[in-house]
Amino acid sequence: MLRLPPPPVVWLLAVLVTSLATSVGAQEPTPTFEVAAVRRNQSTRSDWQQDVRPGGRFVATNMPLIRLIQYAYGVPDHRLEKVPSWARTERFDIEAKAEGDVPSAQVQLMLRSLLEDRFRLVIRRETREMPIRTLVLARSDGRLGPNLLRVPGPDDCKDAASTRRDTPPGAMTIGGCGAISGIAGLAGVHTESVVLDGTGLTGTFKFMMDYAPGLSVTGDPDLPSFVTALNEQLGLKLQPGRGPVDVLVLESIERLVEN
């Protein structure tokens, strides 16, 4: 389940990074939900949630349309172009169901079909020259930071939450367990760029970071930035560069076609 705004501690036991290679322009018909109800949410609440539940159910509450598009296509905001302002502010509730249990990747495809049907969404893929960063080891001797630890395998991730501790005042704490590519994806979200995994590390790792949440630090003024915490706490750093990046352009989108 995803929620906004996040609590002081965000614990991610898995980070899913979806490639554009599976999406736009695919030749096979896109799967659809068996039934789906989409309604505009008129509340003044700012929090939202979405959840993929057993039995092929997808539930979203008070979701901004832009977030639904991001989830359906597996792209961050900075790789979406020509998004109308209303798509960022209008929120929706969705109750949808597939014929049975389906993987999350299948739910994403079904959500694309739903957006195309109810919002007349048309998207095309283009390539842009954009900032690219590569996640590499920060230390010449290859040592990892104190908050990045190798674990035997994915089955051991269930015990990773036992390392949780109190969050420093004013800090954002985020942790996870999985492949290093998950940390690269997290870094891409924070730096609004494509981050490639160039560490050469394989296997499963658990990590935890404490850092300043943007500029709104209400506690310790010496809290590190995300990039500094990445270096000092995980022993990783970002090497900047530029390169071709796939982006999605919203060719057309309309306000909700009511049920």
Side-chain angles (χ1 to χ4, degrees), residues 136-146 148-150 180 198-202 205 231 234-237:
V136 298
L137 297 178
R139 302 173 182 177
S140 58
D141 60 6
R143 288 188 302 117
L144 302 179
L148 180 62
L149 302 173
R150 186 184 293 274
I180 294 295
T199 62
L201 298 173
T202 59
F205 296 81
N231 190 317
L234 303 191
L236 305 173
K237 66 179 181 179

Side-chain angles (χ1 to χ4, degrees), residues 128 130-134 193-196 239-245:
R128 298 276 191 273
M130 298 177 66
I132 289 180
R133 292 174 170 83
T134 303
S193 63
V194 175
V195 175
L196 307 176
Q239 289 184 339
R242 291 186 67 85
V245 177

Side-chain angles (χ1 to χ4, degrees), residues 75-96:
V75 294
D77 197 357
H78 68 276
R79 291 170 66 187
L80 287 169
E81 297 190 351
K82 296 188 177 180
V83 179
S85 59
W86 64 265
R88 299 184 180 279
T89 58
E90 293 188 7
R91 295 167 177 262
F92 300 91
D93 298 334
I94 297 178
E95 288 269 358

Side-chain angles (χ1 to χ4, degrees), residues 114-127:
L114 186 62
L115 296 174
E116 292 167 2
D117 178 45
R118 304 296 172 86
F119 295 91
R120 305 292 188 256
L121 177 63
V122 178
I123 281 181
R124 74 174 186 273
R125 183 173 62 185
E126 294 187 359
T127 301

Side-chain angles (χ1 to χ4, degrees), residues 231-254:
N231 190 317
E232 296 176 348
Q233 299 173 28
L234 303 191
L236 305 173
K237 66 179 181 179
L238 297 173
Q239 289 184 339
R242 291 186 67 85
V245 177
D246 281 335
V247 299
L248 296 184
V249 181
L250 274 64
E251 287 193 327
S252 65
I253 186 171
E254 300 177 7

Side-chain angles (χ1 to χ4, degrees), residues 16-84:
L16 174 63
V17 179
T18 306
S19 170
L20 280 172
T22 63
S23 58
V24 183
Q27 298 301 312
E28 297 182 1
T30 306
T32 60
F33 290 111
E34 184 179 26
V35 292
V38 183
R39 298 180 179 85
R40 187 176 285 103
N41 188 304
Q42 303 286 6
S43 72
T44 58
R45 295 177 57 183
S46 60
D47 64 311
W48 55 263
Q49 66 180 40
Q50 73 178 34
D51 195 12
V52 178
R53 300 178 181 176
R57 293 183 62 212
F58 174 78
V59 179
T61 305
N62 202 32
M63 283 286 291
L65 180 57
I66 184 66
R67 297 284 183 181
L68 291 166
I69 295 173
Q70 289 172 353
Y71 175 71
Y73 288 91
V75 294
D77 197 357
H78 68 276
R79 291 170 66 187
L80 287 169
E81 297 190 351
K82 296 188 177 180
V83 179

Side-chain angles (χ1 to χ4, degrees), residues 6-13 15 147 164-165 167 171-177 182 186-187 189-190 206-211 226 229 233-234:
V9 176
V10 180
W11 186 255
L12 305 177
L13 292 182
V15 179
N147 292 6
R164 286 177 59 172
R165 62 197 188 287
T167 301
M172 182 73 171
T173 295
I174 190 164
C177 186
L186 180 65
V189 172
H190 279 75
K206 65 179 179 181
F207 74 95
M208 183 170 284
M209 297 171 58
D210 300 316
Y211 56 96
F226 176 85
Q233 299 173 28
L234 303 191

